[in-house]
């Protein structure tokens, strides 16, 4: 009986993987190379890019956009909740949860995507219960679940380490970074700058310790590229849907995907060609720990200073308001 259940689960997984392959074929059919590899990586986490292009994205600090992460899961859940809006909340959350699980099974349960999915389920549960979503609690809970399931990942899984470090940076530093970036005029770029800086600083010492390199222009590259990522993901998904209806329409949207993806590849190659694009910097474990203490100390000092200045400003405004009145 156990063998039959295992075989059934395996066959179900194989069905999902076969469906993923069919989606990849459709993306390759309507989006030109090498943009199709980039688009499929963004949407399905597929690693079809050549070694040369993979290295280009690594040097430019863009490797994270071609692997599945919490960003993909967040977009998927947001889209599902929007499409299912007419349904009762319980059904919306239930259907979204089932589809997310199927998606994770289809793309393969990498540690980073499992972490993101666990945090997403905490978010969905909080919405269902009418409770506030506390990101740092969800992060710690997902970390505990993964460690209990596979303790060795804590020691050897580099992707898991990077995923938790980057997410931890966003959870604990993003609000402070927004305050530091307060003078940036456009809201979307303020968000991109703050999240890019938070994730970059949270992973930099670990990357230097593990890989012996650092991407000098990584933050700048992300500022140019990240606004295009959700758009490319959406248009790639629309291309796949239209491929079942009209080849002409699919080719039209696919051409837009190709153009946008080509622009990202051009940016990555341009950044790669700049002087000192990637520096070989090797640090010891203790040096990396000291770097984290230094980064945290400087961050805390700057954010505390801004809070104090804001408090003084508000008190001044309040007093002047009373006097004026």
């Amino acid at each position: 009986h156990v063998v039959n259940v295992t075989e059934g689960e395996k066959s179900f997984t194989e069905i999902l993987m076969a469906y993923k392959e069919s989606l990849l074929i459709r993306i390759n059919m309507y989006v030109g190379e090498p943009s199709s590899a980039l688009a499929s990586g963004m949407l399905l986490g597929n690693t079809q890019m050549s070694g040369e292009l993979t290295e280009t994205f690594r040097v430019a600090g863009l490797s994270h956009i071609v692997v599945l992460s919490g960003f993909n899961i967040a977009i998927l859940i947001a889209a599902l909740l929007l499409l299912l809006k007419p349904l009762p909340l319980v059904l919306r959350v239930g259907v979204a949860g089932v589809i997310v699980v199927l998606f994770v099974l289809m793309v393969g349960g990498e540690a980073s995507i499992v972490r993101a999915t666990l945090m997403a389920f905490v978010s969905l549960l909080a919405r269902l219960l009418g409770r506030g979503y506390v990101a740092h609690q969800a992060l710690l809970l997902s970390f505990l679940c993964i460690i209990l399931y596979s303790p060795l990942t804590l020691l050897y899984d580099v992707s898991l380490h990077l995923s938790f470090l980057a997410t931890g940076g966003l959870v604990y530093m993003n609000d402070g970074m927004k305050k530091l970036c307060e003078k940036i005029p456009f809201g979307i770029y303020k968000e991109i700058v703050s999240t890019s800086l938070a994730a970059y600083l949270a992973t930099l010492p670990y990357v230097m310790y593990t890989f012996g390199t650092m991407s000098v222009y990584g933050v700048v590259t992300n500022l140019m590229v990240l606004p295009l990522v959700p758009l490319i993901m959406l248009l790639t998904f629309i291309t796949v849907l239209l491929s079942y209806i009209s080849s002409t329409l699919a080719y039209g949207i696919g051409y837009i995907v190709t153009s946008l993806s080509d622009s990202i590849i051009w940016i990555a190659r341009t950044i790669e060609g700049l002087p000192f694009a990637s520096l070989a910097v090797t640090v010891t474990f203790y040096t990396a720990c000291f770097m984290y203490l230094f980064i945290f100390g400087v961050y805390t000092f700057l954010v505390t200073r801004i809070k104090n200045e804001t408090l003084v400003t508000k008190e001044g405004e309040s007093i002047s308001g009373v006097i004026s009145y």
Side-chain angles (χ1 to χ4, degrees):
H1 178 70
V2 174
V3 174
N4 289 336
V5 171
T6 304
E7 290 176 353
E9 290 178 351
K10 183 178 180 180
S11 63
F12 180 69
T13 304
E14 288 176 349
I15 291 172
L16 291 176
M17 294 299 293
Y19 182 65
K20 175 186 175 181
E21 291 301 321
S22 69
L23 295 179
L24 292 174
I25 291 173
R26 290 179 180 274
I27 293 174
N28 291 332
M29 185 180 301
Y30 295 103
V31 179
E33 284 287 350
S35 295
S36 59
L38 177 58
S40 61
M42 289 182 183
L43 188 64
L44 299 171
N46 189 60
T47 53
Q48 286 186 332
M49 291 200 309
S50 65
E52 176 267 332
L53 192 56
T54 300
E55 177 64 14
T56 296
F57 272 67
R58 186 195 65 78
V59 172
L62 294 176
S63 298
H64 61 94
I65 72 171
V66 291
V67 295
L68 291 179
S69 62
F71 187 59
N72 306 74
I73 296 296
I75 291 177
L76 176 61
I77 289 179
L80 289 172
L81 292 179
L82 181 62
L83 291 173
L84 300 172
K85 196 172 184 179
L87 298 178
L89 180 60
V90 175
L91 283 178
R92 270 189 288 161
V93 171
V95 172
V98 171
I99 293 177
V100 167
V101 169
L102 292 176
F103 177 77
V104 172
L105 290 174
M106 182 178 70
V107 300
E110 295 287 336
S112 58
I113 201 73
V114 172
R115 188 272 312 157
T117 304
L118 289 172
M119 291 187 68
F121 278 137
V122 173
S123 174
L124 288 174
L125 183 61
R127 175 172 295 206
L128 183 61
L129 298 177
R131 303 287 296 274
Y133 173 66
V134 183
H136 69 270
Q137 292 180 357
L139 177 65
L140 294 176
L141 180 61
S142 64
F143 181 79
L144 178 62
C145 290
I146 291 178
I147 296 305
L148 289 175
Y149 176 74
S150 180
L152 291 179
T153 56
L154 181 62
L155 298 176
Y156 303 113
D157 196 329
V158 174
S159 64
L160 178 66
H161 299 164
L162 287 172
S163 176
F164 272 104
L165 284 171
T167 306
L170 296 179
V171 169
Y172 291 101
M173 298 173 63
N174 194 34
D175 288 341
M177 287 297 178
K178 286 180 181 178
K179 291 183 175 65
L180 295 174
C181 301
E182 191 65 35
K183 294 184 179 180
I184 296 177
F186 301 106
I188 184 172
Y189 271 99
K190 185 186 300 182
E191 183 72 23
I192 292 172
V193 171
S194 63
T195 55
S196 297
L197 281 174
Y200 180 79
L201 292 175
T203 56
L204 178 60
Y206 180 82
V207 169
M208 293 171 66
Y209 167 68
T210 305
F211 302 106
T213 62
M214 63 175 292
S215 178
V216 177
Y217 307 109
V219 174
V220 176
T221 313
N222 278 273
L223 296 182
M224 295 186 285
V225 166
L226 285 184
L228 298 176
V229 174
L231 181 59
I232 292 175
M233 290 175 62
L234 175 62
L235 292 177
T236 303
F237 179 68
I238 292 174
T239 301
V240 172
L241 289 181
L242 289 176
S243 68
Y244 292 98
I245 303 170
S246 168
S247 294
T248 303
L249 292 176
Y251 275 117
I253 303 299
Y255 178 78
I256 298 176
V257 174
T258 301
S259 300
L260 293 175
S261 300
D262 281 346
S263 66
I264 290 181
I265 293 172
W266 180 83
I267 290 172
R269 286 174 171 163
T270 302
I271 294 296
E272 183 187 29
L274 294 177
F276 310 109
S278 180
L279 294 180
V281 182
T282 303
V283 300
T284 65
F285 174 78
Y286 294 106
T287 303
C289 292
F290 175 78
M291 289 177 65
Y292 274 116
L293 290 175
F294 178 77
I295 290 171
F296 179 75
V298 172
Y299 166 80
T300 303
F301 170 77
L302 292 176
V303 171
T304 303
R305 183 178 178 182
I306 289 177
K307 284 182 179 179
N308 292 337
E309 289 177 353
T310 303
L311 182 61
V312 171
T313 301
K314 286 184 177 179
E315 288 178 349
E317 289 174 351
S318 175
I319 293 172
S320 68
V322 170
I323 294 174
S324 300
Y325 180 77

